[in-house]
Amino acid sequence: ASEIEDFHRVEPGSSDVFVAGPVVGDMVHLLAELLENAATFSPPSSSVRIDANRSIDGALLRIHDSGIGINEGRLAEINARLDNPTVLSSAAAGTMGLHVVAHLAYRHGIRVQLYGTGSGTTALVSLPHHVLALPSALPSGTWRSDSEPVVVDGEAMPVSPAPTLSRSRPGL
């Protein structure tokens, strides 16, 4: 989220999904493009929600905005381009971000599809197992739950909970 201008509008959900090291850079870029589109095409007072969960096939990540949505014809065209990345044409120049998403997704076997929800648009990002990492694969000391104390010079330090974004928007 920090890669986009309106990062403060992004509301992350809890997640147990970890991305493998070699894929992280491309995933950051892919997600930043999707988050930027969601923030750009929704009211400035609304939030963009994102969550990720493990699935049988790997993991499913969802980005939901509260924009005006996309008509079915345009949605079908965008999804076809996300499924089959091509060379950028002048007709597609206005959707450069989705062009980048399509190529990054293709590189790693990730599937990205957009869906109208009646209250905006949701981007579904299907991550295959080979782009994921387990917490046990992370180096020691890089992962801890919020309930575990931080130890500095042998002394346990209190841990403040991570800041949460306001959910004061009507309708949530």
Side-chain angles (χ1 to χ4, degrees):
S2 66
E3 296 290 318
I4 71 168
E5 186 175 335
D6 284 334
F7 66 90
H8 60 278
R9 293 177 48 206
V10 176
E11 288 186 9
S14 61
S15 175
D16 61 349
V17 176
F18 300 88
V19 175
V23 183
V24 169
D26 285 347
M27 277 301 300
V28 167
H29 195 165
L30 183 148
L31 294 176
E33 293 290 351
L34 292 172
L35 289 168
E36 184 71 37
N37 282 350
T40 299
F41 295 107
S42 60
S45 61
S46 68
S47 60
V48 173
R49 291 170 288 162
I50 182 171
D51 63 21
N53 294 291
R54 289 194 171 276
S55 68
I56 293 171
D57 299 332
L60 184 64
L61 188 142
R62 299 178 304 176
I63 299 172
H64 178 75
D65 68 50
S66 299
I68 59 172
I70 303 170
N71 74 50
E72 287 185 32
R74 181 75 176 127
L75 206 53
E77 178 185 316
I78 290 170
N79 283 330
R81 287 187 33 224
L82 287 168
D83 276 343
N84 299 303
T86 60
V87 175
L88 187 63
S89 66
S90 59
T95 56
M96 181 67 159
L98 291 176
H99 177 78
V100 170
V101 167
H103 282 273
L104 291 172
Y106 179 79
R107 180 181 299 166
H108 298 289
I110 296 167
R111 184 157 195 257
V112 179
Q113 291 288 278
L114 302 182
Y115 296 91
T117 63
S119 62
T121 303
T122 296
L124 294 179
V125 182
S126 298
L127 305 173
H129 287 288
H130 71 269
V131 303
L132 301 176
L134 296 173
S136 60
L138 299 174
S140 177
T142 59
W143 175 253
R144 64 173 179 77
S145 73
D146 286 341
S147 61
E148 294 175 2
V150 173
V151 178
V152 178
D153 294 329
E155 185 176 336
M157 305 298 287
V159 177
S160 299
T164 56
L165 298 172
S166 168
R167 295 189 184 266
S168 60
R169 192 180 69 164
L172 286 180

